Each structure stands twice: as structure tokens, then as C-alpha cells.
Amino acid sequence: MAVAYAGTLAALLMLGLASGTAAAVDPVTPVETAADRVVDLETLVVSGTQPGPGMWKVSWGDNTLYILGTVSPLPRRMEWESAEVEAVVARSQAVIAPPMISVGTDIGFFRGMTLVPALLRARNNPGKRPLREAVTPELYARWEVLKARYIGRDRGVERRRPLLAAQELYEAALRRSGLRMSGVIWPVVTAAAKSAGVAVTDTTVRLPVEDPRRVLEELNSSDLADRECFEGTMARIETDLDNMRARANAWAVGDIEALAALPYEDHYRTCMDALTGSALARRLGLDDLQERAAQAWLDNVEQALAQHPTSFSMLAMQHLLGDGGMLERLAAKGYAIEAP
């Protein structure tokens, strides 16, 4: 469920409620220079009003669930022609939110303010080390090339932990490429549901943290091994931007065959796998959150199909299609699947 969790990686660390990633450093020995590795083909990103893809239909008897497959990022200047989805939402009895993860604690505003200094320290490397000292020389050489291209002279990012520095770089690269991570689909869906008076079924797995100050203190003193995530994010920027543009274009014009054919490199999967494998993450109960969120979505879908003539949901394409994808899991349970 990488798209649903895309903001979660940075959010967990920014909130000081997870330990980042915990993968061992695997030194990189490039066969070409960092500059040679950057792939920045000028594929034009579509703009204007675009239809997006059709919806899958999942049926159980006379009841039907419509699923919109999503991708991220999408064209920044695209306006989605959402009338078909809005019409489905308007006649639905339930809208099922995509899987989400919430890690945190219910504390008052003033108590939360007392955590801000520790939270800000958690954003940076222990001992005030610069990023140059937190990663291998090979990785930092690649970082310098990409930072110069997409971020510029910002010095603050040089103090960030590798996971957060990589996320900032990724978002900057998307902006420069005419892409955006979010804000296209779900706001339209929720607005349509509110207008029609349709209930939105939450699919959030919540993990409470009882002592955030203690967790922050442990985080501040930890030398996190999140460099595999750092390397994976840079590799995706170096090699996959053109494919990202192509996928964004394919979604915008509704070309599902092209979406299925295009390669997809999910650096968030590497980051999340490393994150949930850390000792602190396991102690907090983060290690199985992804599967729990997937199961929560499936449970909500099955309940909707059992109870409502019409319902709607949305899910990232890479988790909807392919071996082990949600459509395959639903088909295995006996539901009828109709492709767009």
C-alpha cells in the first residue's frame, strides 16, 4: 500500500514516533559517474482536462463495488474530469477510504508544544552530524548532483536524517518534472460524498504511542540505518522520472494497458520494509501495520458488498493489479470482477 503510506514515512519520523529505516549500509560502487546516472528525459506531461481511467466493478449477487485505480505522482497541471466517479459516489451507500496508517498519541495542544524541541532534534542526525557524514562517500556524491539539480543551495536539508533528506529531494524532483504527489483524487471523492450525504468508511489502522517523549529521546540518540532508503530514493530519481511522467500521462488519459505495461519501482517499499524491521518499530508494533491496513480495507470492502447495492473505493494501481493484488484476492473469495 505504498501510495497510502507515501507520506507516512516522513510523518512517522517527523512526529518522532518511529525509528526511520533500519537497513544495513550497502556501499555502492557505481560503474559510471553520478552525473551520467541521472536520467531526465523530457517526456511532456499532459495538462488540461483529462478523463482518468475507468473503474473496476466487483460484484456479489446484485451488489456492486466500484474501484478507481490510482497512481502517484500525477500531472501537476492536469484537471481531472471526475463526473463519472462523482456520479457513482452520489448513488452509493458507502465510500471506502484507501488504507491509511496513523501512529501517534492523543495529547493536548500545550502538552504537544512541550515536545516540539525534541521533535525538531529528531529531524536531524544525532550529534549534529551533517548528511555528508551520515552516508557513504559514494552516496553523498550522487546526492550532491541531484541536490544541485532539484533543490539548489538550501543548507538546512544537509542536517536532515537521510530518510527525510531523500523525501525532500524526491518532492523537489517531482515539482521540477511537472508532477505532484497528491491533492487530485481523494479531495474530489470526499467532496462528492459530502454533497450526496454518503458515509465515508474509515480504513485507518491506528497505533497509539503512550510515551512520545521517551520515544523521541530514544530517536534523538539513535544513529538510524536509513541509508538504504536514501539510496533507493535517489536511484528512483536517477532512473525513473521518465517512467513516472509516462505513468502519470497514462492515468490521465485512461490508458490502463500502458499503466500495466510500464515498469514500476517502489522505493517506498524498501523504506517501509526497513522502517518496520527496526528494533524500535517492532517494539512499537509497527512491523505488521502494512498487512493490517490491507486487511482492514478488504474487511470494509466485503462488508460493503454484503450490505449495499452500490459502493465505491479507490486503491493504488500497483496494489490492485498483479499477482497477490487486491483484485486477485477478491476473485479468490468468489467475487465477480469486471475490468474497465
Side-chain angles (χ1 to χ4, degrees):
M1 301 294 153
V3 171
Y5 307 142
T8 304
L9 289 171
L12 290 176
L13 190 54
M14 288 290 289
L15 290 171
L17 299 179
S19 68
T21 58
V25 178
D26 184 10
V28 176
T29 306
V31 295
E32 61 256 21
T33 67
D36 290 336
R37 296 184 61 154
V38 176
V39 177
D40 194 10
L41 304 179
E42 293 301 324
T43 297
L44 296 178
V45 179
V46 300
S47 60
T49 302
Q50 301 294 338
M55 290 170 279
W56 277 265
K57 296 179 184 178
V58 181
S59 300
W60 182 257
D62 294 331
N63 296 344
T64 301
L65 167 76
Y66 292 81
I67 303 177
L68 177 68
T70 63
V71 301
S72 178
L74 286 173
R76 178 173 292 277
R77 298 184 182 278
M78 180 198 79
E79 181 177 343
W80 178 34
E81 176 48 68
S82 56
E84 183 180 2
V85 166
E86 291 178 277
V88 169
V89 170
R91 69 174 188 267
S92 294
Q93 292 75 53
V95 169
I96 301 166
M100 298 294 291
I101 291 173
S102 174
V103 180
T105 185
D106 184 16
I107 58 177
F109 173 75
F110 290 103
R111 284 190 62 203
M113 288 295 291
T114 66
L115 298 175
V116 169
L119 187 154
L120 292 175
R121 288 195 300 272
R123 298 169 62 193
N124 298 331
N125 289 301
K128 299 183 179 181
R129 289 186 305 156
L131 184 62
R132 178 190 297 273
E133 297 178 8
V135 299
T136 65
E138 292 86 359
L139 288 180
Y140 191 77
R142 291 165 61 187
W143 159 264
E144 286 188 301
V145 173
L146 293 169
K147 183 197 171 193
R149 176 170 294 195
Y150 297 115
I151 295 179
R153 296 184 178 180
D154 179 8
R155 295 182 179 178
V157 71
E158 293 288 340
R159 297 192 299 270
R160 299 287 180 263
R161 292 180 183 270
L163 181 141
L164 292 180
Q167 181 65 18
E168 189 168 332
L169 176 66
Y170 180 67
E171 292 176 7
L174 294 187
R175 288 192 297 270
R176 287 284 302 274
S177 301
L179 301 168
R180 59 174 167 171
M181 292 180 63
S182 61
V184 177
I185 304 168
W186 188 236
V188 172
V189 171
T190 53
K194 182 177 181 180
S195 177
V198 180
V200 176
T201 302
D202 187 27
T203 309
T204 301
V205 174
R206 292 178 171 82
L207 182 69
V209 175
E210 296 179 358
D211 190 355
R213 181 174 294 280
R214 179 185 60 78
V215 172
L216 279 168
E217 290 173 353
E218 182 173 349
L219 182 66
N220 287 333
S221 62
S222 300
D223 187 8
L224 303 181
D226 55 0
R227 282 154 288 198
E228 186 169 315
C229 173
F230 182 74
E231 194 280 333
T233 304
M234 290 197 300
R236 190 173 184 203
I237 295 169
E238 291 166 337
T239 64
D240 198 43
L241 274 176
D242 199 54
N243 281 331
M244 281 191 262
R245 296 187 191 102
R247 282 191 296 272
N249 287 345
W251 189 94
V253 302
D255 191 343
I256 293 175
E257 288 187 4
L259 275 173
L262 283 165
Y264 179 75
E265 298 295 332
D266 187 1
H267 69 283
Y268 282 119
R269 172 63 64 182
T270 301
C271 295
M272 285 298 294
D273 286 347
L275 167 66
T276 56
S278 68
L280 177 57
R282 289 194 300 270
R283 193 164 71 252
L284 291 173
L286 289 168
D287 50 324
D288 65 343
L289 280 182
Q290 296 184 71
E291 181 53 36
R292 285 166 58 188
Q295 189 58 53
W297 185 84
L298 279 174
D299 291 344
N300 285 338
V301 161
E302 293 194 73
Q303 184 175 357
L305 282 164
Q307 296 179 352
H308 304 303
T310 305
S311 51
F312 172 87
S313 190
M314 51 184 274
L315 193 64
M317 286 283 192
Q318 69 267 25
H319 302 298
L320 196 59
L321 305 176
D323 295 340
M326 289 301 182
L327 290 177
E328 184 179 273
R329 292 171 71 168
L330 287 167
K333 291 175 176 286
Y335 296 98
I337 311 293
E338 181 181 338

Coordinates of all heavy atoms in Angstrom, one line a residue, residues 212-244:
P212 N 5.3 9.5 24.1 CA 6.0 10.0 23.0 C 7.3 10.7 23.4 O 8.3 10.6 22.6 CB 5.0 11.0 22.4 CG 4.1 11.3 23.5 CD 4.0 10.1 24.3
R213 N 7.4 11.2 24.6 CA 8.7 11.9 25.0 C 9.8 10.8 25.1 O 10.9 11.1 24.6 CB 8.5 12.6 26.3 CG 9.8 13.3 26.8 CD 9.6 14.1 28.0 NE 8.7 15.2 27.8 CZ 9.0 16.4 27.2 NH1 10.3 16.5 26.8 NH2 8.2 17.3 27.0
R214 N 9.5 9.7 25.6 CA 10.5 8.6 25.7 C 11.0 8.2 24.4 O 12.2 7.9 24.1 CB 10.0 7.5 26.6 CG 11.0 6.3 26.7 CD 10.4 5.1 27.4 NE 9.2 4.6 26.7 CZ 9.3 3.8 25.6 NH1 10.5 3.5 25.1 NH2 8.2 3.4 25.0
V215 N 10.0 8.0 23.5 CA 10.3 7.6 22.1 C 11.2 8.6 21.4 O 12.1 8.3 20.7 CB 9.0 7.3 21.3 CG1 9.3 7.0 19.8 CG2 8.3 6.1 21.9
L216 N 10.8 9.9 21.6 CA 11.6 11.0 21.0 C 13.1 11.0 21.5 O 14.0 11.1 20.8 CB 11.0 12.3 21.3 CG 9.8 12.7 20.4 CD1 9.1 13.9 20.9 CD2 10.3 13.0 19.0
E217 N 13.2 10.8 22.8 CA 14.5 10.7 23.4 C 15.4 9.6 22.8 O 16.5 9.7 22.5 CB 14.4 10.6 24.9 CG 13.9 11.9 25.6 CD 13.6 11.7 27.1 OE1 13.8 10.5 27.5 OE2 13.3 12.7 27.8
E218 N 14.7 8.4 22.6 CA 15.4 7.3 22.1 C 15.8 7.6 20.6 O 16.8 7.2 20.1 CB 14.6 6.0 22.2 CG 15.2 4.8 21.6 CD 14.5 3.5 21.9 OE1 13.5 3.5 22.7 OE2 14.8 2.5 21.3
L219 N 14.8 8.2 19.9 CA 15.1 8.5 18.5 C 16.2 9.5 18.4 O 17.1 9.3 17.5 CB 13.8 9.1 17.9 CG 13.8 9.5 16.4 CD1 14.0 8.3 15.6 CD2 12.6 10.3 16.0
N220 N 16.3 10.5 19.2 CA 17.3 11.5 19.2 C 18.7 10.9 19.4 O 19.7 11.4 18.9 CB 17.0 12.6 20.2 CG 15.9 13.5 19.8 OD1 15.6 13.7 18.6 ND2 15.2 14.1 20.7
S221 N 18.8 9.9 20.2 CA 20.1 9.3 20.5 C 20.5 8.2 19.6 O 21.5 7.6 19.7 CB 20.1 8.8 22.0 OG 19.1 7.8 22.1
S222 N 19.6 7.8 18.6 CA 19.8 6.7 17.8 C 20.5 7.1 16.5 O 20.2 8.1 15.9 CB 18.5 6.0 17.4 OG 17.9 5.5 18.6
D223 N 21.5 6.3 16.0 CA 22.1 6.5 14.7 C 21.4 5.6 13.8 O 21.7 4.4 13.6 CB 23.6 6.1 14.8 CG 24.3 6.5 13.5 OD1 23.7 7.1 12.6 OD2 25.5 6.1 13.4
L224 N 20.3 6.1 13.1 CA 19.4 5.3 12.3 C 20.1 4.8 11.0 O 20.8 5.6 10.4 CB 18.2 6.1 11.9 CG 17.4 6.7 13.1 CD1 16.2 7.4 12.6 CD2 17.0 5.6 14.0
A225 N 19.9 3.6 10.7 CA 20.5 3.0 9.5 C 19.4 3.1 8.4 O 18.9 2.1 7.9 CB 20.9 1.5 9.7
D226 N 19.1 4.3 8.0 CA 18.1 4.5 6.9 C 18.8 4.8 5.6 O 18.1 5.4 4.7 CB 17.2 5.7 7.3 CG 17.9 7.0 7.6 OD1 19.1 7.0 7.6 OD2 17.1 7.9 7.9
R227 N 20.0 4.4 5.4 CA 20.7 4.8 4.2 C 20.3 4.0 2.9 O 20.4 4.4 1.8 CB 22.2 4.7 4.4 CG 22.8 5.9 5.2 CD 24.0 5.6 5.9 NE 23.7 4.8 7.1 CZ 24.6 4.6 8.1 NH1 25.7 5.3 8.1 NH2 24.3 3.9 9.1
E228 N 19.7 2.8 3.2 CA 19.2 2.0 2.1 C 18.0 2.7 1.4 O 17.8 2.8 0.2 CB 18.8 0.6 2.5 CG 18.4 -0.3 1.4 CD 18.2 -1.7 1.8 OE1 19.1 -2.2 2.5 OE2 17.2 -2.4 1.4
C229 N 17.1 3.3 2.3 CA 16.0 4.1 1.8 C 16.6 5.3 1.0 O 16.0 5.7 0.0 CB 15.2 4.6 3.0 SG 13.9 5.7 2.5
F230 N 17.6 6.0 1.6 CA 18.2 7.1 0.9 C 18.7 6.8 -0.5 O 18.4 7.5 -1.5 CB 19.4 7.6 1.8 CG 20.1 8.8 1.3 CD1 19.5 10.1 1.4 CD2 21.4 8.7 0.8 CE1 20.2 11.2 1.0 CE2 22.1 9.8 0.4 CZ 21.5 11.1 0.5
E231 N 19.4 5.6 -0.6 CA 19.9 5.2 -1.9 C 18.8 4.8 -2.8 O 18.9 5.2 -4.0 CB 20.9 4.0 -1.7 CG 21.7 3.6 -2.9 CD 21.0 2.8 -3.9 OE1 20.1 2.1 -3.6 OE2 21.4 2.9 -5.1
G232 N 17.8 4.1 -2.3 CA 16.7 3.7 -3.2 C 15.9 4.9 -3.8 O 15.5 4.9 -4.9
T233 N 15.7 5.9 -2.9 CA 15.0 7.1 -3.4 C 15.8 7.8 -4.5 O 15.3 8.3 -5.5 CB 14.8 8.1 -2.2 OG1 14.0 7.4 -1.2 CG2 14.0 9.3 -2.7
M234 N 17.1 8.0 -4.3 CA 18.0 8.6 -5.3 C 18.0 7.8 -6.6 O 17.9 8.4 -7.7 CB 19.4 8.8 -4.8 CG 19.5 9.9 -3.7 SD 21.2 10.5 -3.4 CE 22.0 8.9 -3.0
A235 N 18.0 6.5 -6.4 CA 18.1 5.6 -7.6 C 16.8 5.8 -8.5 O 16.8 5.9 -9.7 CB 18.2 4.2 -7.2
R236 N 15.7 6.0 -7.8 CA 14.4 6.2 -8.5 C 14.4 7.5 -9.2 O 13.9 7.6 -10.4 CB 13.2 6.1 -7.5 CG 11.9 6.0 -8.3 CD 10.7 5.8 -7.5 NE 9.5 5.7 -8.4 CZ 8.3 5.9 -8.0 NH1 8.0 6.2 -6.7 NH2 7.3 5.7 -8.8
I237 N 14.9 8.6 -8.6 CA 15.0 9.9 -9.2 C 16.0 9.8 -10.4 O 15.7 10.3 -11.5 CB 15.5 10.9 -8.2 CG1 14.4 11.1 -7.1 CG2 15.7 12.3 -8.9 CD1 14.9 11.9 -6.0
E238 N 17.1 9.1 -10.3 CA 18.1 9.0 -11.4 C 17.5 8.2 -12.6 O 17.9 8.5 -13.7 CB 19.3 8.3 -10.8 CG 20.1 9.1 -9.8 CD 21.2 8.3 -9.1 OE1 21.0 7.1 -9.0 OE2 22.1 8.9 -8.6
T239 N 16.7 7.2 -12.3 CA 16.4 6.3 -13.4 C 14.9 6.3 -13.8 O 14.5 5.7 -14.9 CB 16.8 4.9 -13.1 OG1 16.0 4.4 -11.9 CG2 18.3 4.8 -12.7
D240 N 14.0 6.8 -12.9 CA 12.6 6.5 -13.2 C 11.7 7.7 -13.4 O 10.5 7.6 -13.6 CB 12.0 5.8 -11.9 CG 10.7 5.0 -12.2 OD1 10.6 4.4 -13.3 OD2 9.8 5.1 -11.4
L241 N 12.3 8.9 -13.5 CA 11.4 10.1 -13.7 C 10.7 10.1 -15.0 O 9.5 10.4 -15.1 CB 12.3 11.4 -13.6 CG 12.5 12.0 -12.2 CD1 13.5 13.2 -12.4 CD2 11.2 12.4 -11.6
D242 N 11.3 9.6 -16.0 CA 10.6 9.5 -17.3 C 9.4 8.5 -17.2 O 8.4 8.8 -17.8 CB 11.6 9.1 -18.4 CG 11.0 9.5 -19.8 OD1 10.6 10.6 -20.0 OD2 10.9 8.6 -20.7
N243 N 9.7 7.4 -16.6 CA 8.6 6.4 -16.4 C 7.5 7.0 -15.5 O 6.3 6.7 -15.7 CB 9.1 5.1 -15.8 CG 9.8 4.2 -16.8 OD1 9.4 4.2 -18.0 ND2 10.7 3.5 -16.3
M244 N 7.8 7.8 -14.5 CA 6.8 8.4 -13.7 C 5.9 9.4 -14.5 O 4.7 9.4 -14.4 CB 7.5 9.2 -12.5 CG 7.9 8.4 -11.4 SD 8.4 9.3 -9.9 CE 10.1 9.4 -10.1

